[in-house]
Amino acid sequence: MVELGKFERKEFKSSSLQDGHTKMEETPTHLNSFLKKEGLTFHRKRKWELDSYPIMLWWSPLTGESGRLGQCGADACFFTINRTYLRHHMTKAFLFYGTDFNIDSLPLPRKAHHDWALFHEESPKNNYKLFHKPVITLFNYTATFSRHSHLPLTTQYLESIEVLKSLRYLVPLQSKNKLRKRLAPLVYVQSDCDPPSDRDSYVRELMAYIEVDSYGECLRNKDLPQQLKNPASMDADGFYRIVAQYKFILAFENAVCDDYITEKFWRPLKLGVVPVYYGSPSITDWLPSNKSAILVSEFSHPRELASYIRRLDSDDRLYEAYVEWKLKGEISNQRLLTALRERKWGVQDVNQDNYIDAFECMVCTKVWDNIRLQEKGLPPKRWKAEDTHLSCPKPTVFAFSPLRAPPLRSLREMWISSFEQSKKEAQALRWLVDRNQNFSSQEFWGLVFKD
């Protein structure tokens, strides 16, 4: 038996392509650049110093660090993936990477002073059971894409306001109109097919009403140059130049969750292409301006969306209204401006901490806060995650004309059953963790499938 929420990783672990990211079997590539941290390397001769510092044990070996004394403002903590510190009296927190959180091995029994912290920036399809209240509330601290988490990662794919305003890749509308002789009005680039959002079904139906140039493995009808076919090239200058020629891009997330917003949304805005967006229901809270994206949710059927895009395609004045904010360099969304200004980490910025550093230091600082409270004879403050820190609704499938819709593929069907099973997994896991004893996989699955 396997945990259905992890189907993607078990099925495709040898593949280099997952939804526009280059994936590794262990650590996602998009995290690799974040894992080089500055700190004081721990040496054997300083082993006695561990009695002076709280130990933060990465139970999911995301960082690969055997030991590092990291400075977090005035505080310092010892960060390690070495599980021999499990029973050390200075071990105060266990750090988990959500995609690798599983039932096979958990730090049980959990002591009263053991905090659990979750870092999970990815799609629910990577581990569905985390997205249910019984499991997410096991954690004391969270860093997720939700604005409600302790360390929100909602803008994790947006480097800065400056890249939104940049005209570096902008192709003038006059040139785009000329390019329309050989290019479709819409471009679609996906190679992670049939994800929980069922985006390919929508795009397939949309193609019946308007021309779409589709690169990638999903619904492909056009090829990228050979040097850009590797998914790692999706942030290459050459790829940007190709996409920037289009007027519209279908920016569909692989899952529909509040605040789950990826590069699919930010990339077209950076390039001066109008995103036709499907994904986060809360996307209006993050638009650079009120008129910067076309929202699929506002149209009753793909044919209505196609009609609207054709109208904008034929009327320069109507189209330009969607790029006016960029041409003027005006970001009117105060929520977005505030989020970028106040976040405690940077994206591709060597002058700022990355979000993994920020996560580690958030936990380190809170642990130290409690140590200081206890030194004063005061009770420690108990932090606890809420279900809003990571939640997504049950996946759905689009139901369009049976003449055009292919038979339900096993992968499409699987996401719904995966979600339903993950609810049972979450309840079983919570019961076993609350029992606070080590358990076997047989016990776990016995509870999941108990009549």
Side-chain angles (χ1 to χ4, degrees):
M1 294 181 187
V2 299
E3 297 167 78
L4 281 176
K6 297 205 169 186
F7 177 90
E8 170 193 41
R9 300 174 68 249
K10 292 180 181 294
E11 181 72 10
F12 297 108
K13 65 181 180 180
S14 62
S15 171
S16 63
L17 183 61
Q18 287 298 319
D19 199 41
H21 293 312
T22 304
K23 296 278 186 181
M24 302 292 287
E25 184 171 351
E26 294 297 333
T27 303
T29 301
H30 70 279
L31 295 179
N32 284 349
S33 62
F34 293 144
L35 302 184
K36 298 176 181 177
K37 304 190 184 84
E38 293 182 1
L40 304 173
T41 304
F42 178 73
H43 296 291
R44 187 179 300 275
K45 65 182 180 182
R46 293 211 301 266
K47 193 167 185 176
W48 60 269
E49 291 185 2
L50 278 184
D51 285 338
S52 303
Y53 300 103
I55 298 171
M56 311 283 109
L57 176 51
W58 272 101
W59 201 249
S60 311
L62 178 64
T63 65
E65 292 177 328
S66 58
R68 176 181 60 88
L69 191 61
Q71 198 69 35
C72 297
D75 299 320
C77 291
F78 182 69
F79 298 95
T80 182
I81 63 168
N82 188 341
R83 292 189 177 186
T84 62
Y85 291 106
L86 171 62
R87 302 300 174 205
H88 195 287
H89 71 280
M90 286 302 289
T91 297
K92 303 294 185 181
F94 294 86
L95 312 183
F96 299 88
Y97 179 49
T99 297
D100 294 327
F101 180 85
N102 59 60
I103 60 138
D104 297 334
S105 173
L106 290 174
L108 296 173
R110 182 179 180 179
K111 296 183 179 179
H113 65 276
H114 283 171
D115 287 338
W116 285 15
L118 175 70
F119 179 93
H120 192 53
E121 88 294 14
E122 293 211 22
S123 165
K125 71 178 194 167
N126 287 51
N127 202 337
Y128 255 127
K129 65 180 167 295
L130 289 170
F131 290 75
H132 300 293
K133 187 174 181 177
V135 173
I136 189 61
T137 54
L138 284 171
F139 299 96
N140 302 97
Y141 316 111
T142 61
T144 76
F145 55 73
S146 170
R147 74 184 79 181
H148 302 294
S149 73
H150 294 119
L151 185 72
L153 305 176
T154 316
T155 58
Q156 62 181 304
Y157 291 97
L158 179 58
E159 300 93 322
S160 64
I161 286 296
E162 287 66 41
V163 298
L164 286 179
K165 294 180 178 179
S166 172
L167 303 179
R168 177 182 176 186
Y169 291 99
L170 182 73
V171 175
L173 182 55
Q174 242 183 342
S175 299
K176 290 191 178 189
N177 284 336
K178 291 178 182 176
L179 287 164
R180 280 284 288 106
K181 295 176 182 176
R182 61 180 179 84
L183 298 178
L186 281 159
V187 62
Y188 184 56
V189 189
Q190 291 300 334
S191 292
D192 176 20
C193 307
D194 294 313
S197 66
D198 199 28
R199 60 189 172 201
D200 294 333
S201 294
Y202 191 99
V203 176
R204 185 182 293 107
E205 181 72 10
L206 182 66
M207 285 174 159
Y209 304 101
I210 192 169
E211 188 182 0
V212 177
D213 284 346
S214 182
Y215 302 90
E217 294 303 312
C218 310
L219 308 176
R220 185 175 69 228
N221 59 23
K222 201 154 187 170
D223 289 322
L224 288 166
Q226 188 62 40
Q227 70 273 19
L228 296 177
K229 288 185 177 180
N230 187 314
S233 301
M234 292 189 75
D235 283 314
D237 183 82
F239 179 76
Y240 280 6
R241 300 287 178 188
I242 290 174
V243 174
Q245 298 177 100
Y246 287 86
K247 287 186 173 182
F248 308 91
I249 184 168
L250 292 168
F252 283 41
E253 305 288 8
N254 66 34
V256 177
C257 311
D258 277 344
D259 297 338
Y260 179 60
I261 303 165
T262 71
E263 79 288 344
K264 296 171 192 62
F265 176 68
W266 301 115
R267 183 187 290 137
L269 294 175
K270 292 190 286 186
L271 301 181
V273 181
V274 177
V276 179
Y277 184 80
Y278 178 71
S280 171
S282 57
I283 191 64
T284 53
D285 288 344
W286 303 103
L287 298 176
S289 75
N290 290 335
K291 208 161 192 177
S292 50
I294 296 168
L295 306 183
V296 170
S297 60
E298 295 181 352
F299 297 86
S300 60
H301 191 276
R303 76 168 71 88
E304 308 300 329
L305 174 62
S307 176
Y308 185 69
I309 292 173
R310 283 198 302 272
R311 184 180 168 203
L312 297 184
D313 184 33
S314 62
D315 189 321
D316 288 353
R317 181 182 58 82
L318 293 177
Y319 178 83
E320 284 185 322
Y322 281 90
V323 293
E324 184 179 6
W325 67 271
K326 188 172 183 71
L327 295 171
K328 291 184 176 180
E330 295 177 352
I331 310 293
S332 59
N333 186 340
Q334 291 304 311
R335 181 193 299 274
L336 177 60
L337 292 169
T338 300
L340 290 175
R341 182 174 64 250
E342 294 183 352
R343 69 186 183 185
K344 303 181 187 303
W345 44 271
V347 179
Q348 299 177 13
D349 185 347
V350 295
N351 297 314
Q352 289 183 285
D353 284 345
N354 60 63
Y355 50 45
I356 297 177
D357 288 334
F359 169 68
E360 289 185 336
C361 280
M362 173 187 70
V363 180
C364 175
T365 300
K366 291 186 183 302
V367 166
W368 267 110
D369 287 345
N370 276 340
I371 290 174
R372 284 186 279 267
L373 285 173
Q374 289 177 300
E375 287 174 348
K376 295 176 182 178
L378 299 172
K381 183 174 181 180
R382 302 309 299 170
W383 292 77
K384 185 179 179 181
E386 299 177 6
D387 55 352
T388 56
H389 289 204
L390 204 59
S391 64
C392 294
K394 179 180 176 178
T396 59
V397 296
F398 291 105
F400 297 124
S401 166
L403 295 177
R404 274 188 288 275
L408 276 177
R409 293 176 56 179
S410 59
L411 196 54
R412 274 183 77 199
E413 294 175 314
M414 193 211 69
W415 298 121
I416 297 174
S417 60
S418 173
F419 182 87
E420 292 298 341
Q421 180 177 310
S422 69
K423 288 194 290 187
K424 297 178 181 178
E425 291 179 13
Q427 291 166 350
L429 182 62
R430 182 58 186 245
W431 188 87
L432 289 166
V433 172
D434 283 348
R435 189 184 65 174
N436 210 22
Q437 298 174 16
N438 285 312
F439 59 89
S440 67
S441 58
Q442 287 82 2
E443 283 183 275
F444 174 78
W445 292 115
L447 284 174
V448 171
F449 294 108
K450 184 178 180 180
D451 291 333

